[in-house]
Amino acid sequence: MITGELKNQVDKVWDTFWSGGISNPLEVMEQITYLLFIKALDEEQILAENKAARTEKELKNPIYPAGKDSKGEPYETLRWSRFKNLAPSEMYRIVDEHVFPFLHAKAENTTHAKHMKDARLTIPTPALLQKAVDGLDAIQMKDRDTKGDVYEYMLSLIATAGDNGQFRTPRHIIQLMTEMVEPGPTDIICDPASGTCGFLIAASENIRTRHPTVLSDKEKSKHFHTRMFNGFDFDNTMLRIGSMNMQLHGIENPQIDYRDSLSEEYALDAETYSLILANPPFTGSLDYEGTAKDLLQTTKTKKTELLFILLFLRLLKPGGRAAIIVPDGVLFGS
């Protein structure tokens, strides 16, 4: 958990949004996520440029190519390190009219980018955008641990529950459950109600700690970054936030996708996962017509907790294991 000056800087950014007229904490988090993603794109290109300069090789497939976008703005101007120095009104124009359309164009490249395809700038004024950019730019997030802790702290500021029974699972509960199932470097892990991806991140941190060679072995590393972590949600805002959370915790291309986990689509993943970690929604309204028919045939109910337990059993490979949160009525009710 972050403390001291770093915490004060994050609090200041958060307060800036509230005083600037954005009072919905999820909207604040979403706009911060967009800005962090834009900042990360520029940082990635700077690293690539430095490497190319050291090795005296040409930079291949740059994020920001030479030339101009479809509206005639040089791609170079769309970089965080460039527009952050512009006057507020000009910065707002660049970000709104050019940077966000650029995000949409990038939407097919990676898991993280694809959730930016519907990105919209809802920051209402140039002054608020400038304060937000300056505030985030001042926060030193050089290493993976600091980036992850900063984002986790921001997520903790979303104190209100969302619709459909969405609550953030307390971090110590997530860590306890993860330690109990001991995820390994060959596991295929799924959270079918992923939200902010807290369970997937806890599993990744646990594996890094207990299996320190996982990222030094080529095949294990590829599995870790591309196939190991799978998450589904049907809230696009949470997909964006969860995907950014994974990125800031150093997971390059996890499978974080839009899906109603109780729909017929689940059959595509039957007996696919060796480990499930989840805190599924229990109070949400159920789309009875859209729910997979074979799930309803097995347990004809509108209680999402029972349907999710059945879903988890269907998704697990033989011998797979799960740690999930259920209401006590599942254990002790009739």
Side-chain angles (χ1 to χ4, degrees):
M1 184 58 70
I2 64 172
T3 57
E5 179 61 24
L6 191 56
K7 179 178 180 296
N8 292 336
Q9 288 176 319
V10 176
D11 288 340
K12 187 177 179 181
V13 171
W14 195 268
D15 292 341
T16 294
F17 277 90
W18 282 71
S19 60
I22 301 182
S23 56
N24 180 345
L26 270 182
E27 185 180 358
V28 173
M29 197 68 228
E30 186 177 46
Q31 293 300 300
I32 288 175
T33 297
Y34 293 148
L35 293 176
L36 286 174
F37 185 76
I38 293 164
K39 186 171 184 281
L41 286 178
D42 188 40
E43 290 172 348
E44 190 175 332
Q45 173 122 343
I46 289 171
L47 284 174
E49 287 170 344
N50 292 340
K51 182 178 180 181
R54 286 196 308 271
T55 58
E56 298 182 350
K57 293 182 179 179
E58 183 183 351
L59 179 62
K60 293 182 179 180
N61 301 317
I63 296 169
Y64 298 92
K68 300 179 179 181
D69 66 11
S70 59
K71 297 180 181 179
E73 192 69 43
Y75 283 111
E76 189 72 11
T77 313
L78 312 189
R79 299 176 63 167
W80 177 279
S81 55
R82 304 297 188 271
F83 70 68
K84 72 176 184 179
N85 298 314
L86 298 174
S89 57
E90 180 65 6
M91 180 196 298
Y92 194 90
R93 183 188 71 81
I94 292 294
V95 172
D96 186 34
E97 297 180 12
H98 299 277
V99 176
F100 271 73
F102 178 72
L103 289 187
H104 300 164
K106 285 282 179 188
E108 300 304 320
N109 292 353
T110 67
T111 295
H112 307 298
K114 74 181 179 184
H115 298 304
M116 301 294 163
K117 64 183 178 182
D118 300 319
R120 283 190 315 117
L121 181 69
T122 60
I123 294 174
T125 65
L128 177 55
L129 178 61
Q130 183 192 37
K131 288 180 181 177
V133 168
D134 288 347
L136 290 173
D137 198 59
I139 298 173
Q140 295 298 310
M141 294 190 288
K142 295 295 184 184
D143 60 83
R144 178 180 61 82
D145 288 341
T146 306
K147 287 179 179 178
D149 286 347
V150 166
Y151 203 71
E152 284 285 335
Y153 175 67
M154 289 182 187
L155 290 174
S156 74
L157 299 176
I158 307 177
T160 55
D163 298 329
N164 301 320
Q166 291 174 338
F167 289 86
R168 284 199 74 232
T169 311
R171 198 169 182 179
H172 63 285
I173 300 294
I174 291 176
Q175 288 176 338
L176 171 66
M177 293 169 63
T178 305
E179 288 168 9
M180 289 172 68
V181 293
E182 296 187 343
T186 59
D187 269 318
I188 301 175
I189 305 170
C190 182
D191 181 351
S194 56
T196 62
C197 293
F199 279 105
L200 297 178
I201 286 163
S204 75
E205 297 297 317
N206 186 282
I207 290 169
R208 286 178 191 267
T209 301
R210 293 176 52 250
H211 303 276
T213 62
V214 69
L215 296 179
S216 57
D217 181 283
K218 186 176 180 180
E219 281 304 310
K220 287 180 181 178
S221 178
K222 183 179 179 182
H223 177 70
F224 181 91
H225 284 297
T226 59
R227 295 188 296 270
M228 181 179 287
F229 302 104
N230 304 266
F232 308 118
D233 209 295
F234 56 71
D235 183 328
N236 279 315
T237 299
M238 299 312 289
L239 284 169
R240 281 189 274 271
I241 291 172
S243 182
M244 175 56 67
N245 203 9
M246 296 286 279
Q247 182 178 6
L248 292 174
H249 280 85
I251 302 162
E252 293 174 2
N253 201 21
Q255 303 306 308
I256 309 299
D257 294 311
Y258 180 92
R259 184 187 298 182
D260 179 351
S261 292
L262 294 176
S263 72
E264 299 283 358
E265 287 182 76
Y266 95 85
L268 299 171
D269 289 345
E271 297 190 359
T272 296
Y273 306 108
S274 60
L275 174 59
I276 287 177
L277 289 158
N279 180 10
F282 305 132
T283 58
S285 57
L286 177 68
D287 177 10
Y288 206 71
E289 295 301 318
T291 302
K293 300 297 183 285
D294 62 327
L295 293 180
L296 293 174
Q297 286 170 359
T298 305
T299 173
K300 194 170 179 61
T301 179
K302 288 190 176 183
K303 290 188 173 182
T304 54
E305 58 265 33
L306 299 179
L307 291 167
F308 266 107
I309 291 171
L310 179 58
L311 171 72
F312 298 157
L313 292 172
R314 297 281 173 84
L315 292 177
L316 285 172
K317 292 179 175 181
R321 59 213 193 279
I324 61 175
I325 293 175
V326 295
D328 57 7
V330 172
L331 302 175
F332 307 113
S334 59

